[in-house]
Amino acid sequence: METPTPNRPLSDIWQCVRDRLRTDVGDAAYNSWLKQLELTNIHDDRVLMSVPTRFMRDWVVSHYAEKIRTAWSEEAGAEPQIDILVRPSGQSAPVLKNTLAETTTEKPVDQSLAEAGAPLDPRCTFENFVVGKANELAYAAAHRVAEADNVPFNPLYLYGGVGLGKTHLMHAIAWHIRQRDPTRRVIYLSAEKFMYQFIRSLRYKDVMQFKQLFRSVDVLMIDDVQFISGKDSTQEEFFHTFNALVDQNRQVIISGDRSPCNLDGMEERMRSRLGWGLVADIHQTDYELRIGILQSKVQHMGAKNVPQQVLEFLAHRITSNVRELEGALTRVLAYSNLVGRPITLETTQEVLRDLLRANDRRITIEDIQKRVAEHYNIRISEMHSARRARAVARPRQVAMYLAKQLTSRSLPEIGRKFGGRDHTTVMHAVKRIDELRQNDSTLSEDIDLLRRMLET
Ligand code: ADP
Ligand code: MG
């Protein structure tokens, strides 16, 4: 086997793969079935090849897939997934101009379709999507659509606030369908891009082509449909495209930032049509989901040494949406990486000061003291007192710990609120409780309970 050389031209590799195949299957079979096989695209760890007809594709897949895979891996030194597609008539492979190193970006399988659509983020798959109460319906619906051979509900309408995973789910559907059946024509694009292309087609007088293209797909996905509101001619065109596809039993998937009936500026008939299929909303995340998402990201990034305490802190404090949560984690990791310091609660708070302020839900230290005192059945004045008996000292430490986790107050500020204690006392309390929690499940449960009460 040759060593893979990243700058070896693809055309060279491809020629050698073909030679190997010819030797392997013999001239006759080669000329009948493999001569017309073309290299169409290379994308991440997938290699797309194409043949001119569906019949040929089925034959090649069932008789030669294994041989093609072997020839490829022997020649290129990698073992990608190989997909064989039917190419639209008259099209050839543009990909051969490149070298292996240059082809990691998406290159069209079907040029016009790919140009009309938007590229898909390789990270946005079902595997990378963490499911919780907030998004389980949307996830289940998306997964069903991606798995189905016929159309289970039409359209699927996903809605929710920004950064909650609508686009992620749509990309996941597209990836999944492409993988299951690469011959299905899937197009994903934003409503804005749809509008832009329609308007451009009006200007250049190729509305027919626009119509044909969008009506030839098997799966149409339009993201952020609220942006279509108000633009009359585009709305009209969208409506017709939508109806044409639904009538032909093609899957349509739409996302929006609000429910169909609340899409102001959208015509009544369109609003009602959008609600005909399955409408699934994504809610604000809860604490458990945020923790799950953080853990999954940490794992994917291969980041070690992120203390659980920091993840909990982020999950408690960055509640606006998943995008911000992700951004916060990335910032903390980048910072620790750059300055070469370990990630601690302190550095996290320092790095995210602005973000934390924006997400501050204004839990006050007084609230915390009151709740904790109630919970442990001690007087609230004990929070400020100098008494050191365990029965009051431990709850006081718990309150300090929660104050550090749930507010943006600095250690000296917290100290001051606890009867003018020194910041080192607060620091010690935070550390102590954190240690105790590891082995004391009652304490750990108390803290979770208090936290939950304070946050609702
Ligand atoms: P929206 O389109 O609803 O505004 P996105 O789909 O762009 O939101 O999500 C924002 C970011 O959060 C993306 O990076 C996405 O991968 C991530 N994300 C959202 N929800 C989840 C989830 N449940 N699990 C993992 N990542 C998520
Ligand atoms: Mg989006």
Side-chain angles (χ1 to χ4, degrees):
M1 190 172 107
E2 298 190 35
T3 36
T5 43
N7 288 320
R8 185 175 163 205
L10 268 185
S11 51
D12 182 1
I13 295 177
W14 182 233
Q15 189 50 51
C16 295
V17 170
R18 289 160 65 100
D19 292 343
R20 275 177 194 270
L21 286 170
R22 185 189 282 275
T23 317
D24 193 357
V25 305
D27 280 347
Y30 181 84
N31 286 335
S32 308
W33 301 109
L34 298 175
K35 200 172 167 186
Q36 298 203 62
L37 185 67
E38 282 185 357
L39 182 61
T40 306
N41 192 7
I42 295 194
H43 177 52
D44 288 344
D45 49 3
R46 287 164 55 132
V47 173
L48 302 183
M49 299 176 185
S50 62
V51 290
T53 66
R54 186 181 275 257
F55 176 69
M56 197 178 248
R57 169 184 170 268
D58 293 344
W59 188 273
V60 170
V61 168
S62 58
H63 292 78
Y64 300 112
E66 207 40 57
K67 291 190 192 311
I68 294 172
R69 195 168 303 128
T70 311
W72 181 275
S73 61
E74 278 170 1
E75 205 49 55
E79 297 200 353
Q81 179 183 325
I82 292 181
D83 290 325
I84 297 169
L85 321 166
V86 184
R87 65 178 164 263
S89 49
Q91 265 186 25
S92 275
V95 74
L96 290 182
K97 289 198 284 300
N98 305 315
T99 64
L100 208 47
E102 293 165 345
T103 50
T104 44
T105 48
E106 169 102 50
K107 289 271 164 45
V109 172
D110 172 329
Q111 194 98 30
S112 47
L113 197 65
E115 272 168 12
L120 300 173
D121 185 334
R123 288 166 306 182
C124 291
T125 59
F126 283 124
E127 290 73 37
N128 292 346
F129 192 81
V130 182
V131 186
K133 256 198 238 93
N135 58 26
E136 64 189 356
L137 174 64
Y139 170 84
H143 200 258
R144 169 75 62 81
V145 162
E147 274 286 311
D149 289 319
N150 33 39
V151 175
F153 19 73
N154 221 357
L156 168 61
Y157 186 96
L158 299 170
Y159 78 95
V162 301
L164 295 180
K166 303 182 292 294
T167 299
H168 187 134
L169 280 178
M170 291 181 113
H171 286 207
I173 296 173
W175 284 125
H176 198 86
I177 293 178
R178 281 194 187 170
Q179 193 166 22
R180 259 175 47 90
D181 182 0
T183 61
R184 272 178 97 186
R185 292 159 61 89
V186 179
I187 188 167
Y188 162 87
L189 74 166
S190 65
E192 279 164 311
K193 190 163 184 197
F194 180 87
M195 246 159 50
Y196 167 78
Q197 296 196 42
F198 177 63
I199 291 164
R200 216 176 65 149
S201 78
L202 289 175
R203 181 161 319 140
Y204 293 107
K205 306 208 173 0
D206 44 43
V207 181
M208 272 322 288
Q209 206 198 332
F210 176 93
K211 284 183 196 295
Q212 269 167 10
L213 180 68
F214 279 92
R215 286 168 203 194
S216 72
V217 300
D218 297 302
V219 183
L220 171 70
M221 303 196 205
I222 303 274
D223 205 352
D224 288 319
V225 75
Q226 70 273 7
F227 290 121
I228 286 188
S229 313
K231 318 278 192 320
D232 287 348
S233 61
T234 332
Q235 233 188 85
E236 184 79 18
E237 182 52 34
F238 176 59
F239 186 67
H240 291 311
T241 307
F242 180 97
N243 285 335
L245 290 172
V246 171
D247 288 347
Q248 294 171 62
N249 209 23
R250 309 284 172 78
Q251 181 71 56
V252 179
I253 303 158
I254 309 282
S255 86
D257 67 351
R258 62 202 89 164
S259 73
C261 55
N262 288 324
L263 286 167
D264 335 309
M266 180 80 81
E267 276 181 55
E268 174 50 33
R269 57 177 183 166
M270 190 68 227
R271 273 187 279 169
S272 100
R273 198 77 167 83
L274 286 174
W276 277 13
L278 181 76
V279 177
D281 57 339
I282 307 183
H283 304 275
Q284 291 295 331
T285 57
D286 56 18
Y287 175 73
E288 273 71 32
L289 180 57
R290 291 195 294 274
I291 277 284
I293 289 172
L294 287 169
Q295 276 162 346
S296 139
K297 305 271 172 205
V298 165
Q299 202 185 348
H300 275 106
M301 296 187 215
K304 297 185 190 76
N305 310 328
V306 187
Q308 181 65 15
Q309 202 192 356
V310 167
L311 297 185
E312 286 174 11
F313 175 80
L314 292 175
H316 276 297
R317 299 295 305 282
I318 315 287
T319 55
S320 45
N321 64 56
V322 184
R323 186 172 297 132
E324 277 205 349
L325 189 64
E326 244 180 32
L329 178 66
T330 310
R331 250 164 81 182
V332 172
L333 291 173
Y335 175 84
S336 124
N337 212 334
L338 284 173
V339 304
R341 280 210 270 153
I343 299 169
T344 64
L345 201 53
E346 272 68 44
T347 51
T348 304
Q349 287 176 328
E350 214 173 286
V351 175
L352 300 179
R353 183 157 298 140
D354 52 333
L355 197 61
L356 291 170
R357 206 162 285 146
N359 274 273
D360 210 344
R361 275 168 311 159
R362 283 177 236 302
I363 295 174
T364 64
I365 294 183
E366 287 76 12
D367 293 338
I368 295 172
Q369 292 174 328
K370 183 164 165 283
R371 281 285 185 189
V372 173
E374 270 168 23
H375 182 80
Y376 287 103
N377 218 356
I378 61 173
R379 255 184 253 126
I380 194 165
S381 60
E382 299 288 10
M383 292 290 163
H384 314 275
S385 82
R387 277 219 304 147
R388 287 174 170 216
R390 165 81 69 85
V392 295
R394 188 57 36 83
R396 198 187 291 132
Q397 287 181 322
V398 168
M400 288 183 202
Y401 175 84
L402 288 171
K404 182 69 188 148
Q405 281 219 323
L406 304 180
T407 74
S408 320
R409 301 276 166 229
S410 65
L411 295 171
E413 281 173 316
I414 296 172
R416 234 169 282 139
K417 298 262 186 183
F418 284 82
R421 286 179 157 78
D422 191 65
H423 76 276
T424 53
T425 311
V426 183
M427 207 156 73
H428 173 75
V430 173
K431 210 169 132 227
R432 185 85 188 111
I433 295 298
D434 203 41
E435 282 162 10
L436 288 172
R437 280 192 67 181
Q438 313 296 327
N439 299 313
D440 184 342
S441 59
T442 317
L443 179 65
S444 189
E445 276 162 26
D446 281 351
I447 287 172
D448 287 340
L449 192 75
L450 282 162
R451 212 180 234 164
R452 224 162 278 162
M453 285 199 305
L454 282 159
E455 280 179 340
T456 44

